[in-house]
Amino acid sequence: MSEKKETDYEVGQDNVQVLGLDIHNPVFAVSGLTIVAFVFFSLVFREQAGEFFGWLRVALTSRFDWVFMIACNIFVVFSLLLIVTPYGSIRLGGADAKPDYSYAGWISMLFAAGMGIGLVFWGVAEPISHYGASLGGVATGEDGLRTDWAPLGAAADNPQGARDLAMAATIFHWGLHPWAIYAVVALALAFFSFNKGLPLTMRSVFYPIFGEATWGPLGHIIDVLAVFATIFGLATSLGLGATQALAGLNYLFGVPVTDGMKVLLIIIITAFALISVVAGLDKGVKRLSEANMILAAALLVLVLIVGPTVAILSGFFTNLVDYAVQLPALSNWIGREDTNFMQGWTTFYWAWWISWSPFVGMFIARISRGRTVREFVTCVLLIPTLVGALWMSVFGNAGLEQVMAGGAEALQDAGLELKMFVMFEAFPMSSLLSLVGIILVVVFFVTSSDSGSLVIDTITAGGKTNAPTAQRVFWCILEGAIAIVLLLGGGLGALQAAAIATGFPFAIILVLMCVSIFIGLSREKR
């Protein structure tokens, strides 16, 4: 049983029932109309949109990188403290609550929703990018500022040092920091919904701070921002996924890489996501997520077997040590000279994770009833960090072994979206590996889209988790439309700019969220 409600506010009391829909007024209208208007104007003014996105990314990352760096460090420290404090014994849903899902089903869903497409896209591309930049050493312009993209002080003409730095930087971007972002949002939503009886929306998290004002205009703004962050964060990932899947299809079967084909691919995969959305959480999303994890594990094992097995396995432990050693320096934002790396890589990643956090956080919250706070944070923060490090070590080490052995110019020169497929060429069963990789991207694509649609629908339905299916269909279609518009309006740069733009205001909201969680947990009976 959950605790006694702290407010008289009822879930859905501000909703409007019209045309068979059950929508929150004004969150649905404001967010929906604004996004539709954005899609329209971006299509009509494609050139201007491309220029704007190009300016926006640089402006935000160069001026506000410190905001993202400080905020994400706070999330890591806060999450780790929750594991060791007495608050860790509090159970989500009350003392007698039982988990809704097994460990296997629970972890599969949270991991598939959390960063599936990104792991496949960047698993080979990022380590090789950092390695090349680090090996090249520090380069400065006439103004004395660094022009290279290497992390920290680079490792000029030191292949082993460049490799260690590349893997440490990669795991840094996929380790504790992103999962701490998810853990904070998911814990806040689960606790205030299951233990305090508040609606499952972002605004509920701030009830200890703002009181009844949470249900007014201030709460509307928070929920609308959550919708924007979610849909643009998802569109970024869907755009990356479509780019990589099409590159793989071109590499394997000669499918032309054109804007038209990218649009067609997004439409096809959005259609599959619609089927899953209509099926619902347990039948659609859960089954797809579990299938996804089996497929991902199969690809991981195949690469481990056909690749340099000993080097990969030994490299995993070395990479974890390198990550731990470099973590303080990579997390620091003061006096950094590697501004291209910090702003172009780290700040983008932190903004991307933050823009995903309402979606992933709410999804994880919905499937986490019955877990203790300690169990929750451990499984949402530490286990995925280790799995992410393993994935990056297997794919990153396999790619780096080829590059460091020499004769892998094609792998080094390949586009980011192609590096995984080019790496597979050196292995037995390369076509099978590439085909499994494409399928994995597509299924991750579908699980992200359908999960996101369920979450956005919950927010725009005032916290109702059983709103009419037509609403979920609307948001699923809109996600695909935005991914198409952003790709047409500036490619990956536009996608990254959108993620950063929506992640920036939400970084501030998440810091406030930590305060609210602490207040809520301190008032809870343990």
Side-chain angles (χ1 to χ4, degrees), residues 134-438:
S134 298
L135 194 63
V138 172
T140 56
E142 294 180 0
D143 54 4
L145 297 177
R146 281 178 61 171
T147 57
D148 63 275
W149 285 77
L152 302 178
D157 301 320
N158 179 0
Q160 188 58 43
R163 178 212 163 281
D164 294 343
L165 188 56
M167 290 308 306
T170 300
I171 295 174
F172 171 63
H173 289 148
W174 297 85
L176 291 173
H177 284 74
W179 284 101
I181 296 168
Y182 294 161
V184 165
V185 178
L187 177 62
L189 288 165
F191 176 75
F192 288 106
S193 176
F194 300 149
N195 293 65
K196 300 302 180 184
L198 301 180
L200 188 63
T201 63
M202 295 301 296
R203 69 174 71 198
S204 297
V205 172
F206 300 95
Y207 187 79
I209 298 175
F210 301 123
E212 292 299 313
T214 303
W215 316 122
L218 185 61
H220 299 338
I221 292 171
I222 291 171
D223 278 351
V224 168
L225 280 174
V227 172
F228 289 163
T230 302
I231 205 153
F232 285 109
L234 272 170
T236 303
S237 296
L238 300 184
L240 288 172
T243 301
Q244 187 177 34
L246 188 57
L249 289 170
N250 171 263
Y251 195 72
L252 280 180
F253 307 114
V255 176
V257 179
T258 62
D259 285 346
M261 286 304 300
K262 289 178 183 176
V263 170
L264 179 61
L265 189 60
I266 292 174
I267 290 172
I268 291 171
I269 298 176
T270 300
F272 281 111
L274 279 172
I275 296 171
S276 180
V277 159
V278 171
L281 182 65
D282 289 336
K283 293 181 180 178
V285 179
K286 179 174 179 288
R287 289 176 182 173
L288 265 180
S289 297
E290 290 175 342
N292 231 9
M293 294 310 295
I294 293 171
L295 198 59
L299 184 61
L300 189 81
V301 171
L302 279 173
V303 172
L304 189 60
I305 292 171
V306 301
T309 308
V310 175
I312 290 174
L313 290 176
S314 62
F316 170 61
F317 298 101
T318 303
N319 295 342
L320 287 178
V321 172
D322 292 332
Y323 168 51
V325 169
Q326 301 291 354
L327 184 59
L330 290 168
S331 303
N332 174 48
W333 67 96
I334 300 171
R336 292 278 290 268
E337 295 181 355
D338 56 336
T339 51
N340 279 344
F341 171 80
M342 186 176 75
Q343 295 172 0
W345 282 97
T346 304
T347 303
F348 161 64
Y349 269 130
W350 289 181
W352 188 16
W353 301 138
I354 289 170
S355 69
W356 262 52
S357 65
F359 142 55
V360 179
M362 187 172 293
F363 183 76
I364 293 174
R366 284 185 64 176
I367 61 175
S368 299
R369 184 195 296 270
R371 309 290 178 182
T372 65
V373 170
R374 183 172 295 112
E375 181 184 14
F376 176 91
V377 176
T378 299
C379 289
V380 176
L381 177 66
L382 301 183
I383 292 176
T385 293
L386 288 174
V387 175
L390 176 63
W391 181 280
M392 288 301 185
S393 292
V394 170
F395 284 80
N397 285 344
L400 288 174
E401 284 291 318
Q402 291 183 23
V403 171
M404 293 174 72
E409 289 81 7
L411 177 56
Q412 288 178 288
D413 297 339
L416 294 174
E417 68 278 5
L418 264 178
K419 286 189 186 296
M420 180 180 74
F421 302 110
V422 176
M423 182 190 78
F424 287 161
E425 280 295 304
F427 297 150
M429 303 185 296
S430 59
S431 296
L432 175 63
L433 288 170
S434 294
L435 187 60
V436 173
I438 293 171

Side-chain angles (χ1 to χ4, degrees), residues 37-61:
F38 167 84
V39 170
F40 174 77
F41 285 110
S42 295
L43 280 175
V44 174
F45 303 104
R46 280 180 59 178
E47 186 176 335
Q48 293 89 334
E51 292 176 0
F52 172 72
F53 289 131
W55 166 84
L56 182 63
R57 177 184 172 179
V58 175
L60 285 173
T61 55

Side-chain angles (χ1 to χ4, degrees), residues 62-77:
S62 61
R63 296 175 188 172
F64 298 104
D65 50 358
W66 58 275
V67 173
F68 291 105
M69 298 294 287
I70 293 174
C72 291
N73 287 339
I74 289 172
F75 305 146
V76 172
V77 173

